[in-house]
Amino acid sequence: MDERKIQIVIDSLLPLLKAGVAFTIPLTLISFAIGLLLAVLTALVRISPWTIPKMIARFYVWVIRGTPLLVQLFIIFYGLPAIGIILEPLTAAIIGFSLSVGAYSSEILRAAILSIPKGQWEAAFSVGMTRGQALRRVILPQATRVSVPPLTNTFISLVKDTSLAASITYMEMFRTAQQIVATTYEPLLLYCEVGVIYLLFCSVLSTFQNYLERRLARYSAN
C-alpha cells in the first residue's frame, strides 16, 4: 500500500468512528429498544385467545418477515411522501428497523414462552394466580432467560443492518464512507475499512454475548 492510501485510511478513521458512535450506535439502540417493546406486545397477542388481534399480529409478522428490509425502508422514506407523509431520514430509519426487530424478535419471544412447560402455568394457577400474574411472575422471567441468546444475535445483526440507512441518506457510518469515497476515489479501500470497523463492533458485542450466556447458564444450573 502506497503512502497516499495509508494516509487516506488514517484520515478517514476518525470520521468513520465518529459516525459510528454518533449515528450508528444510537440508531441501533433506539431501534432495538422500540422493536423489543413491539416484540413483547406482538408475542403476547400471538398467544392470547383474542382472534382479531392475533390475526393482525400474524399479518404484521408475515409482511415484515416476507419482504426485504431495504424495500421496507424505501417504502417508508420514498414511498410515503406520495400520500403526504414525509419523514426525516432518522425517523424513517427508526421506524423501519423497529418494525423489523419487532417482527423477528416476537417470534423468538413467542417460541420462548411456548417452550415453558405447561406445569409451570398449572403451578401458578394452583396458588391462586390469574393468567396475567402467572405470565408476569412465572412464565416471562423463564422465557426471558431462554430468549436472551437469540435476541443478542438480533441486536448484533441490527448493528450491521443499520448500514442500509445509507440508502435513505441517513448519515451513519456507511454513508460517511460513501462520501469519503466520492472525494478519494478509493472504494475498495474505504469499504474494507468500514467493514473492519463493523467487524470490531460486532466482535465486542459477540464477546459480551458469550459472557452473558455463561452467566445465564451458571444461573440456570443453580
Side-chain angles (χ1 to χ4, degrees):
M1 185 182 297
D2 58 39
E3 293 184 4
R4 176 181 173 274
K5 291 184 178 181
I6 293 175
Q7 192 60 46
I8 289 174
V9 171
I10 295 173
D11 292 342
S12 61
L13 181 59
L14 185 57
L16 290 175
L17 289 176
K18 283 184 177 179
V21 173
F23 298 102
T24 298
I25 292 178
L27 175 60
T28 302
L29 293 174
I30 295 171
S31 299
F32 188 77
I34 297 174
L36 198 56
L37 291 175
L38 183 59
V40 172
L41 177 61
T42 303
L44 293 179
V45 170
R46 291 288 302 275
I47 65 171
S48 74
W50 308 322
T51 302
I52 294 179
K54 284 176 66 173
M55 292 176 60
I56 295 173
R58 190 180 298 116
F59 178 77
Y60 154 63
V61 172
W62 173 66
V63 170
I64 297 300
R65 295 181 68 192
T67 55
L69 178 54
L70 183 60
V71 173
Q72 296 165 20
L73 290 172
F74 270 55
I75 291 174
I76 294 169
F77 187 70
Y78 295 112
L80 290 183
I83 57 173
I85 302 176
I86 301 175
L87 301 172
E88 295 293 325
L90 175 59
T91 304
I94 290 175
I95 293 173
F97 293 131
S98 297
L99 289 174
S100 178
V101 170
Y104 284 94
S105 298
S106 69
E107 290 299 279
I108 294 173
L109 293 172
R110 186 173 70 92
I113 292 172
L114 294 177
S115 71
I116 305 303
K118 290 184 178 180
Q120 296 292 313
W121 288 97
E122 295 170 355
F125 294 150
S126 69
V127 296
M129 290 187 186
T130 64
R131 180 178 174 84
Q133 289 173 331
L135 186 65
R136 185 173 65 254
R137 299 178 182 178
V138 178
I139 304 302
L140 283 181
Q142 298 181 68
T144 298
R145 191 161 61 244
V146 173
S147 60
V148 164
L151 286 177
T152 308
N153 285 333
T154 300
F155 182 79
I156 293 174
S157 295
L158 180 60
V159 173
K160 296 177 290 184
D161 288 343
T162 56
S163 61
L164 294 175
S167 64
I168 59 171
T169 71
Y170 180 65
M171 285 301 302
E172 46 70 63
M173 191 160 55
F174 186 67
R175 178 70 175 176
T176 301
Q178 288 179 319
Q179 290 191 332
I180 298 174
V181 167
T183 60
T184 61
Y185 304 102
E186 291 288 348
L188 178 61
L189 187 64
L190 267 298
Y191 293 151
C192 285
E193 183 178 11
V194 76
V196 169
I197 296 174
Y198 276 113
L199 179 62
L200 291 176
F201 282 2
C202 292
S203 296
V204 171
L205 291 172
S206 295
T207 301
F208 174 73
Q209 179 187 18
N210 293 333
Y211 167 78
L212 192 59
E213 288 180 3
R214 288 195 299 270
R215 290 294 300 269
L216 290 173
R218 187 160 61 244
Y219 179 77
S220 299
N222 293 334

